Amino acid sequence: MKVDESPTIASLFEEIKSQADSHWQELFDSGQPVIVVGTATCGRAAGALDVLKAIRDELERQGVDCPVFEAGCLGHCYAEPLVIIGKPGYPPICYGYVNPVIAERLVKEFVVGDNPCLEFVLGALEANDLVPSFADFPRATYEKKIVLRNCGHIDPTDINHYIANGGYVTLSKALQMSPEEIITEIKDSGLKGRGGAGFSTGQKWEICRNTPGRPKYAICNADEGDPGAFMDRAILESDPHSVIEGLIITAYAVGVRNGYIYVRAEYPLAVERVRIALRQAKKLNLLGRRILGSDFSFDIRLFEGSGAFVCGEETALIASLEGKAGMPRHRPPYPPTSGLYGKPTVVNNVKTLASVPQILTNGAAWFASIGTEKSKGTAVFALAGKIVNTGLVEVPMGTTLRQVIFDVGSGIPNGKRFKAVQIGGPSGGCLPESALDLPIDFDSLTEAGAMMGSGGMVVLDEDDCMVEIARYFLEFTQRESCGKCTFCRLGTKQMLALLSDITLGEGTQADIDILKALARDVKTGSLCSLGKTAPNPVLTTLRYFEGEYQAHITEGRCPALMCQHLIAYYILPNKCERSCDACVGTCTVEAISPNKKRIKVIDQEKCVKCNTCLMACPPQYNAIVKLSPPSEVPAAEK
Amino acid sequence: MRTVSLTIDGQQITAREGDNLLWVALDNGIYIPNLCAIRDKSEPMASCRLCFVEVEGKEQPVTACTETVTEGMIVNTRGTRALSLARRSFELLMASHSLDCAHCPKSGSCELQHIARYLGTRLKSKQLRELRRDLPIDDSHPQIIYDPNKCVLCGRCIWTCREHLGVGVLGFAHRGFQRMVTTFEDEPLAISKCDRCVECIGVCPTGALLPRNETKTRVTSES
């Protein structure tokens, strides 16, 4: 900002940096092994806190005093809990599927002893001769970590870890640049908003900066609510400072003094870690009054959302921040011209903000060299559903869906066939196998009827009924509709009723036509983007899987054997073993009984289709099958 | 203030720059169906989705209540796509409206009937299914009978009670399909802090808020 002050900024930061460096170096200088446990929500769900406790207990028993710290998510959520042990003389090794017993062994045999327990190794963090490293994984060819670079490697509750790994350097440099320079750099990089819509971030900042009116506000939108999406949560839990640094730089570039991070309250760990991060940043004067001695002051407040999905929509988010009901309003005016309290406001997604420091450090040209012609940089996806490697992945834009699902995600488990991938959550669409070679970028996904969305990717296999999937996502949006505008409140309700009928086998051809017409009208007529995109799952499944809808309507058949009303359970007499009655005992409604030949028969009248018998039938017999339509069950057996 | 000239349905109109298209049209005798529009409200609700018009140069029909007039604007209120969206929105509202014109005191002065005539649609939808909520009628108040099943959630009563008169008895509550106009904690109107000005009845476009004396006995005995 002021040239004569820049040495102060640099020297003040240098002091902070050298302290952080020595703090970080101490970890490794002790000569002791360093143990890192991934305790983001994904790890905790798999039992990481028990593992952490087991490690600490065992270290105490062994009388070893070595540093143990908690980190975030490495992206390999399928193998949680993860433990990384960095022992002098060995490469840092990451162990997967750790439980308390394995954890104790790791301490006894590797930390105390000298056996690296190769049977539990997931991969090493560096290339070496002892164990395969993550770089040797097929996914490494495609991954490029910009936003996720620190996730899982540093302690999110210790600002020194972030600073020692290159954090806040960009801020100290940005404060010595002019805001216009920063905006130009971001514009040149081609960064587009990662929240879904894909508007140019630099342009948004510029509009907000040039709009008269004070004060201005900057908001980080961390109200991630799509079913199956957890990118923002993982970033906030694993590397909150990257988002905070991005927000501070945004504020400096736009001319903002007050910022908010809007996190949903359903993310308690993210809330806690952001809160700690904010406190630490403030303590080091990276946040607050006259940041690093410059004349730029900026403060961030944490705001917990109360659980409405629609508050991820920026105007609803702003209404919610103002203390009003979280309901969207008509745009324009867009927030950069009239946002919080009617003042110019920038609202940016978590991933957008986390990209900002990297762009300024490495330059706009570097960022623009990654990705495709129109979509620059990387895309972060949360892989979920029927995929082997569930977890987080960051790939350059332009990577194909096939590469992400089959090479990074290792394909579909249990030898099942891929059917569709649901991208962009309830606002996105289901894309079939024929779309797998589409490059992932904003335009091609929109063209195919889905959308980039915020990054949820749910993989579906042959056992998933597309009508039911469409119904599921529509039920979600319908339930989350704020109810303000007619199309979303009543249109989605009508569509849901039609879809429910089809899954019950009560649909007609006319229903399909009304469904299509309604979907089109809700898409054009709704007030906000929640309503405008709510029909996408229905429209894409109708576009790519209309055959399945037809089977439900004309034959009363669910090809995926998923819709309960359209299937029946049947015991194949030639496969049923006379001496076995595993199914009889498990049946919850006593619908199964043996006939004279001791072959088990299901009383279709009593059966409630709970699937228990199918699970109970021993795999060597595999005698129970699902049939659709239910009339397929041989008459004599009924 | 500067003026602009625009064309609505072929009619040359002069208006103040920045004025709202819906009100400019209505003031010039050109009807556009609407329920949630309130002239004095600074920001349009834009929730009823009935006032769709086609504006030259815009790809999709837009709601007139969210448009400001600009110089040379060419507006068509009778465009096929605009009317089809308005009809659909109206159809959706009616499919969830407790339709009972024969017994409704509002019949004849009901805005829903007026809009149906304008759009050339039936009151009862042929295509859509009835999605009714069957909420209890509030007849506790000495002057007002409130039937939420006839409410179209236009918000006029709320604006009048809350913003215009500063009483604030009525408000929106619940989300999605459950959204309704109600009192704090759904308490009966009689024990609310209603000051009995009954202004809400005057602004209600449907038979949801009715004066008690006009209400036929059938309605009261039902609750």
Side-chain angles (χ1 to χ4, degrees):
Chain A
M1 215 171 220
K2 296 279 184 296
V3 182
D4 54 301
E5 279 187 26
S6 46
T8 332
I9 295 173
S11 62
L12 275 172
F13 182 73
E14 204 40 58
E15 207 173 295
I16 294 171
K17 167 94 177 146
S18 70
Q19 254 177 23
D21 282 344
S22 64
H23 181 86
W24 174 254
Q25 210 47 52
E26 255 171 45
L27 275 179
F28 305 98
D29 288 348
S30 62
Q32 292 278 8
V34 180
I35 304 176
V36 186
V37 182
T39 60
T41 297
C42 47
R44 290 183 178 207
L49 291 181
D50 293 336
V51 168
L52 181 68
K53 186 173 180 301
I55 290 176
R56 290 216 163 108
D57 290 350
E58 187 60 27
L59 285 173
E60 204 178 314
R61 265 197 293 278
Q62 301 286 339
V64 185
D65 180 28
C66 71
V68 180
F69 70 83
E70 297 177 43
C73 171
L74 259 187
H76 297 265
C77 304
Y78 60 94
E80 292 282 0
L82 297 176
V83 173
I84 302 172
I85 301 181
K87 184 169 178 172
Y90 290 91
I93 302 175
C94 177
Y95 298 89
Y97 310 99
V98 180
N99 59 32
V101 181
I102 298 176
E104 274 177 31
R105 270 190 62 186
L106 288 175
V107 172
K108 265 187 232 156
E109 296 183 22
F110 187 38
V111 175
V112 180
D114 246 337
N115 169 17
C117 297
L118 294 178
E119 61 270 40
F120 305 124
V121 169
L122 188 67
L125 300 187
E126 294 162 6
N128 64 86
D129 301 332
L130 181 69
V131 287
S133 73
F134 282 135
D136 302 329
F137 280 37
R139 65 191 279 170
T141 327
Y142 303 99
E143 277 186 303
K144 177 154 189 76
K145 292 196 174 185
I146 295 176
V147 172
L148 301 179
R149 72 192 185 287
N150 283 331
C151 294
H153 297 289
I154 62 166
D155 184 347
T157 59
D158 189 341
I159 193 169
N160 289 319
H161 284 209
Y162 179 69
I163 296 173
N165 284 281
Y168 288 111
V169 179
T170 321
L171 174 66
S172 71
K173 287 191 185 139
L175 289 176
Q176 300 169 59
M177 292 164 77
S178 76
E180 288 78 10
E181 271 178 275
I182 297 174
I183 290 177
T184 309
E185 194 76 4
I186 296 294
K187 266 168 75 181
D188 290 348
S189 75
L191 175 67
K192 289 184 181 180
R194 294 310 196 232
F199 188 76
S200 157
T201 305
Q203 241 172 300
K204 194 188 260 186
W205 290 7
E206 192 170 45
I207 295 169
C208 189
R209 180 170 179 81
N210 294 338
T211 304
R214 278 191 181 277
K216 293 179 169 135
Y217 296 98
I219 300 171
C220 167
N221 180 351
D223 192 56
E224 177 183 56
D226 292 3
F230 46 87
M231 305 73 55
D232 296 353
R233 184 194 72 203
I235 295 166
L236 290 177
E237 287 175 357
S238 312
D239 194 15
H241 286 288
S242 66
V243 182
I244 294 171
E245 185 178 4
L247 190 55
I248 304 173
I249 295 171
T250 308
Y252 176 70
V254 177
V256 173
R257 291 191 58 143
N258 292 296
Y260 291 90
I261 298 182
Y262 189 104
V263 195
R264 59 200 301 238
E266 293 91 332
Y267 283 175
L269 185 64
V271 168
E272 182 193 318
R273 291 190 172 169
V274 169
R275 190 163 279 148
I276 294 171
L278 286 174
R279 200 167 356 154
Q280 292 179 343
K282 215 172 278 183
K283 205 167 171 193
L284 293 181
N285 191 222
L286 296 163
L287 198 58
R289 278 178 181 222
R290 302 183 58 89
I291 293 174
L292 289 175
S294 70
D295 50 15
F296 168 63
S297 302
F298 178 60
D299 206 3
I300 300 177
R301 272 198 225 164
L302 183 73
F303 188 93
E304 288 180 58
S306 318
F309 173 69
V310 72
C311 287
E313 200 278 345
E314 57 184 6
T315 59
L317 182 147
I318 287 171
S320 165
L321 263 178
E322 289 172 352
K324 300 176 187 157
M327 285 191 189
R329 60 159 173 80
H330 179 80
R331 293 186 307 182
Y334 287 88
T337 48
S338 172
L340 189 62
Y341 307 113
K343 302 294 181 189
T345 305
V346 274
V347 184
N348 280 135
N349 175 265
V350 169
K351 298 178 287 297
T352 317
L353 292 173
S355 310
V356 166
Q358 289 300 300
I359 294 171
L360 291 185
T361 302
N362 299 308
W366 164 80
F367 192 79
S369 72
I370 305 163
T372 63
E373 165 105 44
K374 282 188 181 156
S375 302
K376 303 295 185 194
T378 56
V380 182
F381 285 106
L383 298 179
K386 308 285 178 63
I387 189 157
V388 176
N389 297 342
T390 49
L392 274 192
V393 52
E394 183 172 8
V395 292
M397 294 274 186
T399 311
T400 66
L401 286 168
R402 191 184 296 281
Q403 286 163 342
V404 172
I405 295 166
F406 288 94
D407 297 331
V408 178
S410 300
I412 319 295
N414 307 324
K416 297 281 184 179
R417 272 197 49 190
F418 170 88
K419 186 186 243 174
V421 55
Q422 212 286 340
I423 304 176
S427 312
C430 295
L431 300 181
E433 189 151 12
S434 61
L436 275 182
D437 292 310
L438 276 182
I440 296 169
D441 62 37
F442 290 98
D443 303 316
S444 63
L445 287 184
T446 310
E447 212 166 283
M451 67 182 245
M452 190 80 178
S454 60
M457 199 184 261
V458 183
V459 181
L460 308 168
D461 72 5
E462 53 187 297
D463 294 338
D464 291 308
C465 169
M466 299 314 290
V467 185
E468 171 59 24
I469 294 294
R471 195 201 63 77
Y472 168 81
F473 278 105
L474 196 71
E475 188 183 19
F476 179 85
T477 28
Q478 194 274 320
R479 212 174 41 222
E480 290 295 342
S481 161
C482 77
K484 184 173 176 180
C485 85
T486 310
F487 279 106
C488 185
R489 180 181 72 245
L490 301 171
T492 56
K493 186 84 180 167
Q494 291 278 356
M495 288 170 66
L496 183 64
L498 290 166
L499 278 173
S500 300
D501 274 5
I502 296 173
T503 58
L504 294 175
E506 289 161 10
T508 62
Q509 195 56 48
D511 286 349
I512 298 262
D513 300 334
I514 304 173
L515 190 61
K516 280 185 187 166
L518 267 174
R520 222 181 29 235
D521 290 343
V522 172
K523 198 175 166 119
T524 354
S526 289
L527 171 64
C528 82
S529 30
L530 184 124
K532 279 185 196 295
T533 56
N536 280 348
V538 179
L539 285 168
T540 47
T541 47
L542 273 169
R543 175 168 159 189
Y544 296 114
F545 301 94
E546 188 160 359
E548 279 196 44
Y549 282 83
Q550 292 302 343
H552 282 74
I553 288 169
T554 54
E555 303 166 48
R557 180 171 67 90
C558 174
L561 303 172
M562 193 181 189
C563 296
Q564 281 221 354
H565 278 80
L566 304 184
I567 57 165
Y569 285 81
Y570 176 61
I571 302 177
L572 297 165
N574 56 338
K575 282 193 165 184
C576 182
E577 167 58 45
R578 288 160 62 180
S579 64
C580 161
D581 57 0
C583 56
V584 178
T586 56
C587 181
T588 49
V589 290
E590 296 182 358
I592 307 177
S593 53
N595 65 11
K596 277 183 231 159
K597 294 180 197 158
R598 291 207 52 80
I599 298 297
K600 270 59 73 186
V601 180
I602 299 176
D603 182 343
Q604 299 293 338
E605 297 288 311
K606 283 189 186 169
C607 176
V608 291
K609 302 171 188 177
C610 66
N611 206 47
T612 320
C613 55
L614 197 143
M615 308 289 287
C617 186
Q620 63 268 36
Y621 310 135
N622 224 352
I624 304 183
V625 290
K626 292 193 266 189
L627 298 175
S628 180
S631 57
E632 288 286 299
V633 175
E637 306 285 341
K638 274 188 180 168
Chain B
M1 173 139 330
R2 277 183 53 194
T3 58
V4 292
S5 54
L6 67 156
T7 317
I8 306 178
D9 294 348
Q11 190 178 326
Q12 284 290 328
I13 288 170
T14 315
R16 283 188 310 180
E17 190 180 26
D19 267 5
N20 183 288
L21 176 59
L22 176 66
W23 296 108
V24 169
L26 293 174
D27 290 346
N28 283 279
I30 300 166
Y31 180 68
I32 300 172
N34 69 86
L35 287 169
C36 69
I38 295 162
R39 190 185 287 263
D40 298 331
K41 196 168 183 296
S42 58
E43 198 180 79
M45 274 265 281
S47 67
C48 73
R49 315 310 282 171
L50 287 172
C51 63
F52 281 103
V53 295
E54 288 172 18
V55 176
E56 222 173 86
K58 301 215 175 189
E59 215 175 291
Q60 300 278 359
V62 292
T63 42
C65 67
T66 55
E67 288 294 308
T68 45
V69 291
T70 52
E71 180 62 42
M73 194 179 207
I74 300 174
V75 182
N76 179 9
T77 69
R78 304 287 303 176
T80 332
R81 287 187 308 154
L83 284 183
S84 121
L85 275 176
R87 280 195 192 106
R88 178 70 78 191
S89 181
F90 184 70
E91 200 183 3
L92 285 167
L93 284 173
M94 294 313 290
S96 296
H97 176 78
S98 167
L99 197 60
D100 187 22
C101 299
H103 299 97
C104 182
K106 192 79 175 186
S107 188
S109 62
C110 175
E111 283 187 40
L112 297 178
Q113 291 172 331
H114 179 71
I115 292 171
R117 259 196 308 279
Y118 174 84
L119 292 174
T121 52
R122 296 153 51 94
L123 283 164
K124 191 173 166 56
S125 167
K126 265 187 186 168
Q127 272 195 333
L128 304 181
R129 58 191 71 194
E130 257 184 58
L131 293 175
R132 300 263 300 270
R133 288 200 289 152
D134 295 319
L135 294 161
I137 295 168
D138 182 356
D139 61 352
S140 62
H141 197 277
Q143 281 143 305
I144 306 168
I145 302 244
Y146 170 48
D147 181 354
N149 303 300
K150 289 184 179 169
C151 174
V152 289
L153 301 176
C154 68
R156 288 191 206 169
C157 55
I158 294 177
W159 191 84
T160 307
C161 182
R162 185 172 291 257
E163 312 293 332
H164 186 54
L165 300 166
V167 182
V169 166
L170 296 173
F172 282 118
H174 310 293
R175 295 196 331 195
F177 188 63
Q178 309 303 327
R179 179 168 158 100
M180 66 183 293
V181 171
T182 184
T183 53
F184 184 67
E185 290 200 317
D186 297 332
E187 61 186 6
L189 276 171
I191 63 166
S192 71
K193 55 172 184 171
C194 171
D195 67 359
R196 305 188 182 176
C197 70
V198 298
E199 290 280 328
C200 52
I201 297 176
V203 295
C204 181
T206 76
L209 287 163
L210 287 173
R212 195 175 188 100
N213 50 7
E214 266 185 47
T215 318
K216 292 174 188 165
T217 44
R218 214 190 68 87
V219 181
T220 40
S221 62
E222 235 178 29
S223 59

